[in-house]
Amino acid sequence: MRINRSAMRAMQVFETFDKFRKPLSLNEITLELDLPPSSGIALLKTLVQCGYLEFDRNSRTYLPTTRIAMLSSWVPDRLFARTNIIPVMQSLADSTGQTVMMGTRSDLSAQYVHVIVGKETPYWELLPGTLRPLASSGIGLLLLSTLNPDELDYTIRRLNIASGDRALHLDFEETEASLKVIRRQGYMFSRNLFHSDQGIITILLNNKFFNRTLTLGIGGQTVHLEENLENYLRLLLSAVRDIEAAAKETPPVQEQNR
């Protein structure tokens, strides 16, 4: 799939502000994004004219406007309004010291929706929004395990078309055999797929949010996860029960008429 570079660069500008969390000059932004100054100034001027950035002439720096915050401020409230997902994730990270992540499917990719880096895993470089291959990542394979045969066949054919490399094409029978193991054990333990010495233990949330299936996982050093597999599975299952109980006790969110 071809990426629109202009759209990507605009998003990277806002990610740069999120990284540094201060007003930034043209030079700082273009250095961070490896952009030619001419391209950088054109992009920033457009974002200023659209109301997404403000420019201070005295300091010659840019800063996101509150419009950016308002655009997506509704997402956490709407996505998690009937849940205690974020506090539960924080509790898991605090009690285990490991990184806790929530994932979902985004078309032909798996995506981390929320990530809390544990005190014992500061080396994890995951950000909310990070995409992972649907058929070769822990959360991706777990999500694929929820599909029926027809849905899986259709998804595999789309993945094969998108890959463009016949050597990387997936076989339905082999993939289904792997997914049967995941369904039988009720969780996915991916070893060394993200990094050579790191892994993720992840399970499914039974409730759907915005019609999305979510996963909840604990990530860390593969050896450490193997040593604590039984305990971490127990903690994950307990966390899912807490989330589901809170969702049942909270009345549904009413849609707002605009």
Side-chain angles (χ1 to χ4, degrees):
M1 181 179 66
R2 299 182 64 181
I3 296 176
N4 185 299
R5 294 186 66 83
S6 296
M8 180 184 71
R9 288 299 191 193
M11 294 301 101
Q12 288 175 332
V13 167
F14 297 118
E15 290 178 346
T16 298
F17 279 107
D18 184 57
K19 177 180 178 180
F20 291 99
R21 305 201 169 200
K22 66 172 186 175
L24 297 173
S25 67
L26 169 65
N27 187 55
E28 289 173 315
I29 294 170
T30 54
L31 282 176
E32 178 68 20
L33 299 180
D34 194 24
L35 276 176
S38 58
S39 299
I41 190 64
L43 174 59
L44 296 176
K45 279 186 175 180
T46 298
L47 294 174
V48 169
Q49 291 169 355
C50 291
Y52 297 119
L53 293 180
E54 60 181 51
F55 177 65
D56 181 72
R57 290 188 177 276
N58 293 324
S59 63
R60 310 294 294 178
T61 59
Y62 297 84
L63 188 68
T65 66
T66 55
R67 182 177 183 182
I68 287 298
M70 294 172 63
L71 281 174
S72 58
S73 62
W74 61 275
V75 175
D77 289 340
R78 300 297 293 173
L79 187 59
F80 308 127
R82 297 185 58 209
T83 78
N84 56 350
I85 287 178
I86 304 303
V88 167
M89 290 180 66
Q90 186 64 62
S91 178
L92 272 176
D94 292 342
S95 63
T96 65
Q98 306 301 298
T99 292
V100 178
M101 67 282 294
M102 180 173 56
T104 191
R105 180 177 172 180
S106 180
D107 195 24
L108 296 181
S109 299
Q111 186 170 43
Y112 293 106
V113 179
H114 192 65
V115 179
I116 298 177
V117 178
K119 59 182 181 293
E120 296 180 15
T121 54
Y123 46 80
W124 276 71
E125 298 179 351
L126 283 178
L127 293 173
T130 298
L131 294 173
R132 297 285 292 133
L134 189 61
S136 57
S137 65
I139 63 172
L141 289 168
L142 183 63
L143 290 164
L144 284 178
S145 74
T146 66
L147 303 182
N148 63 42
D150 289 339
E151 292 170 333
L152 180 61
D153 180 64
Y154 175 67
T155 302
I156 286 177
R157 284 189 283 110
R158 288 190 62 209
L159 286 167
N160 288 341
I161 292 172
S163 74
D165 186 347
R166 294 190 63 86
L168 299 177
H169 280 192
L170 300 168
D171 177 78
F172 176 85
E173 297 298 334
E174 291 180 1
T175 304
E176 174 63 14
S178 298
L179 298 180
K180 282 183 178 179
V181 175
I182 297 173
R183 296 187 193 107
R184 184 169 61 250
Q185 64 188 17
Y187 68 91
M188 174 63 189
F189 185 179
S190 61
R191 296 169 172 85
N192 311 320
L193 293 181
F194 186 69
H195 285 298
S196 60
D197 60 347
Q198 298 173 19
I200 299 174
I201 303 167
T202 185
I203 66 174
L204 291 166
L205 275 73
N206 295 321
N207 291 358
K208 287 191 175 184
F209 302 89
F210 275 3
N211 203 36
R212 285 164 167 77
T213 300
L214 300 179
T215 68
L216 183 65
I218 296 175
Q221 294 284 336
T222 302
V223 172
H224 175 82
L225 295 180
E226 288 175 339
E227 294 172 347
N228 293 272
L229 176 59
E230 185 176 340
N231 181 46
Y232 285 173
L233 280 174
R234 179 180 59 80
L235 291 174
L236 285 168
L237 290 168
S238 177
V240 168
R241 286 194 295 268
D242 289 345
I243 292 168
E244 292 174 348
K248 290 178 181 178
E249 294 172 1
T250 307
V253 176
Q254 297 300 315
E255 296 292 338
Q256 295 181 351
N257 295 320
R258 300 189 63 180

